[in-house]
Amino acid sequence: MLPDPNSLYGPLDPAPDAGYENAPPRMGFFTDTSVCIGCKACEVACKEWNGVPESGLDLLGMSYDNTGALTANSWRHVAFIEQPRPAGHRTPPFAGTPTDGSVSAASAAAAAGTSERTGTDPGVPTGTPSAAARMAGGVPADVLGAIAADPTAAGRGGAGPQFVGMPGAQPPGRGTGVEERTDFRWLMMSDVCKHCTHAACLDVCPTGSLFRTEFGTVVVQEDICNGCGYCISACPYGVIDQRKDDGRAWKCTLCYDRLGAGMTPACAQACPTESIQYGPLDELRERAAARVATLHERGVPEARLYGHDPNDGVGGDGAFFLLLDEPEVYGLPPDPVVTTRDLPKMWKRAGLAALAMAAATVAAFVGGSS
């Protein structure tokens, strides 16, 4: 008997489909990467609560990312992506700040001019320059005047604290000219198992080690896993991994033991910026849509959601993300598809092929005996 096609693709409520009656609301993660600071508190909390062995202690040469990827010993992975361009909604660092010790005409005019006070502020004599006149571009007017008289004064600290560094070095962000500056932004994302609506890993597991919980999540029972590795090749995200010492498959459980006790998963509990949010999936999707709209209004048009659509190739994810660039930038597949989606067609074609071979065999015997 062929499996129900709807159990392999399309919109679906996974817990009732798995046989749970009166199942609670589907729970999941919404990870807002726009507020992730890369502190890795989620990684540490996950390891401590779940007893995950240490890993990622080697320098990988990949910026501050010492974990590298999701593995059997890293159920949470904080990615660090450095992009050589500024965030579109932010003012470039040190914009408008002189870098060659010269004073612009506007700054000199502001330094030379004074604004006569017309108020009756007690204790301030009439004719005292205003604060705006005393400051030009963030530098006191008297200092600017000194620089104009002696341009080398800036190098001796007349324009403020002198940068003390290696010989020939410049303060961060300051070179010999604007054209030589390199602005960049960090894209940080705490990646995790997606707990797919249509989980191919669960479909191909021969021992029943993987099972769907009443919360709609997918969990591996390590005491039943035989290390066959079918789930590893079936996962469209490359999440599941085998431990080298025992060969069994491991991944995030969304802290199933904590969920049953009404507690928040360890990673979300430890996140200081609430980048990782836990709750009923429908509420998280509404919250995420509102967050994207807010970012668009604030001048961040590149903000988009990933894994939230129930009509995508995996039926939507139980852990979805707000991204600030294309999914490929974060190492995510742009259009994931559950690898068992075409099983009904495959079985049908295999059956037809078997019938054709049987018919050919019978025809050969009949033709040979006549």
Side-chain angles (χ1 to χ4, degrees):
M1 179 178 179
L2 296 178
D4 179 9
N6 193 48
S7 66
L8 298 176
Y9 60 88
L12 184 74
D13 192 353
D17 183 73
Y20 291 98
E21 297 181 1
N22 302 319
R26 185 180 180 185
M27 309 301 285
F29 285 132
F30 163 49
T31 301
D32 183 353
T33 68
S34 68
V35 294
C36 177
I37 60 175
C39 66
K40 291 182 174 282
C42 54
E43 289 190 12
V44 176
C46 176
K47 284 180 175 292
E48 288 183 346
W49 179 262
N50 295 291
V52 180
E54 64 181 22
S55 63
L57 300 179
D58 298 328
L59 296 177
L60 305 179
M62 298 171 60
S63 185
Y64 294 100
D65 184 359
N66 66 323
T67 308
L70 291 172
T71 67
N73 294 334
S74 295
W75 299 358
R76 272 276 180 187
H77 165 232
V78 179
F80 289 74
I81 301 118
E82 180 179 323
Q83 291 189 330
R85 63 185 179 89
H89 64 290
R90 296 177 180 174
T91 302
F94 306 104
T97 304
T99 58
D100 57 0
S102 63
V103 182
S104 65
S107 297
T114 59
S115 298
E116 299 295 333
R117 297 182 59 87
T118 58
T120 57
D121 189 0
V124 180
T126 303
T128 302
S130 65
R134 296 196 307 270
M135 297 292 290
V139 181
D142 55 347
V143 175
L144 286 174
I147 296 174
D150 182 7
T152 62
R156 296 195 301 268
Q162 184 177 3
F163 174 70
V164 179
M166 295 294 292
Q170 293 289 336
R174 300 195 186 193
T176 58
V178 176
E179 69 281 359
E180 295 185 10
R181 294 175 183 163
T182 302
D183 295 325
F184 66 91
R185 67 171 180 175
W186 284 108
L187 296 181
M188 301 175 184
M189 181 193 70
S190 180
D191 197 8
V192 72
C193 172
K194 313 307 181 291
H195 295 274
C196 309
T197 297
H198 301 286
C201 58
L202 191 154
D203 294 336
V204 302
C205 181
T207 65
S209 172
L210 284 107
F211 74 101
R212 181 80 65 177
T213 74
E214 66 270 29
F215 301 103
T217 59
V218 179
V219 175
V220 181
Q221 301 174 94
E222 64 274 8
D223 56 334
I224 301 178
C225 178
N226 66 356
C228 67
Y230 293 166
C231 57
I232 296 173
S233 58
C235 177
Y237 296 101
V239 167
I240 310 180
D241 187 33
Q242 288 176 302
R243 282 192 187 152
K244 296 180 180 180
D245 56 347
D246 64 12
R248 293 178 294 176
W250 302 81
K251 73 173 191 67
C252 162
T253 66
L254 217 150
C255 287
Y256 182 44
D257 52 345
R258 294 175 66 96
L259 267 60
M263 301 170 64
T264 300
C267 57
Q269 185 73 37
C271 182
T273 63
E274 295 186 356
S275 171
I276 303 172
Q277 302 178 33
Y278 161 78
L281 199 57
D282 291 339
E283 295 181 10
L284 292 178
R285 286 172 175 167
E286 294 178 2
R287 193 183 308 170
R291 174 62 176 165
V292 170
T294 299
L295 289 176
H296 287 175
E297 293 174 358
R298 294 179 179 178
V300 190
E302 62 267 28
R304 82 287 303 276
L305 295 179
Y306 177 85
H308 69 296
D309 187 3
N311 294 302
D312 66 11
V314 294
D317 294 324
F320 65 102
F321 304 82
L322 185 154
L323 305 179
L324 297 179
D325 209 324
E326 298 293 336
E328 300 94 318
V329 174
Y330 297 86
L332 298 170
D335 187 20
V337 175
V338 59
T339 52
T340 54
R341 181 185 63 178
D342 297 325
L343 276 179
K345 294 180 181 179
M346 294 168 61
W347 282 110
K348 182 177 180 180
R349 292 173 181 173
L352 292 176
L355 289 176
M357 292 179 63
T361 302
V362 171
F365 276 104
V366 171
S369 59
S370 59

